[in-house]
Amino acid sequence: QAVLIRVKDSDSMTNEFYIAKHILMDKVNEKERMAVKLEADILKELKSDFVVKYVNSYSINARKLIIVMEYCRYGDLDYQVK
């Protein structure tokens, strides 16, 4: 599940948007769990104008991993091609 997050800057009265990808870790097998953690690690290190930027990731009670990424206002490449 992915959720749009709005962060309002009270000083400048501007909004920033992010996407929070929620992964229920207790619902996936060990191989999928490792793949999800690897995805977060790769996004954290990857710096490219052509890849959605990683902001942060954290886990809640070891049951849910949340990966926060920049919001692509005009959709992803797949959406643009269609």
Side-chain angles (χ1 to χ4, degrees):
Q1 176 185 17
V3 178
L4 179 63
I5 299 171
R6 179 181 70 167
V7 177
K8 189 172 187 174
D9 184 337
S10 59
D11 294 332
S12 65
M13 299 302 290
T14 60
N15 295 312
E16 290 195 34
F17 294 92
Y18 301 95
I19 292 293
K21 182 178 178 180
H22 295 238
I23 300 104
L24 298 174
M25 299 300 277
D26 56 350
K27 303 284 185 195
V28 297
N29 63 40
E30 186 61 31
K31 184 177 180 181
E32 292 169 321
R33 188 171 302 147
M34 290 177 64
V36 167
K37 289 179 182 178
L38 182 60
E39 176 186 356
D41 290 342
I42 289 171
L43 285 172
K44 187 185 308 185
E45 298 300 320
L46 195 58
K47 308 292 185 234
S48 171
D49 292 336
F50 304 106
V51 178
V52 174
K53 298 206 178 8
Y54 168 93
V55 176
N56 200 356
S57 63
Y58 54 95
S59 62
I60 300 174
N61 298 330
R63 293 180 50 225
K64 183 185 282 189
L65 177 67
I66 300 174
I67 303 173
V68 181
M69 299 170 283
E70 73 177 335
Y71 171 63
C72 298
R73 184 174 307 274
Y74 300 105
D76 62 8
L77 182 59
D78 184 52
Y79 177 79
Q80 295 298 320
V81 170
K82 290 178 183 177

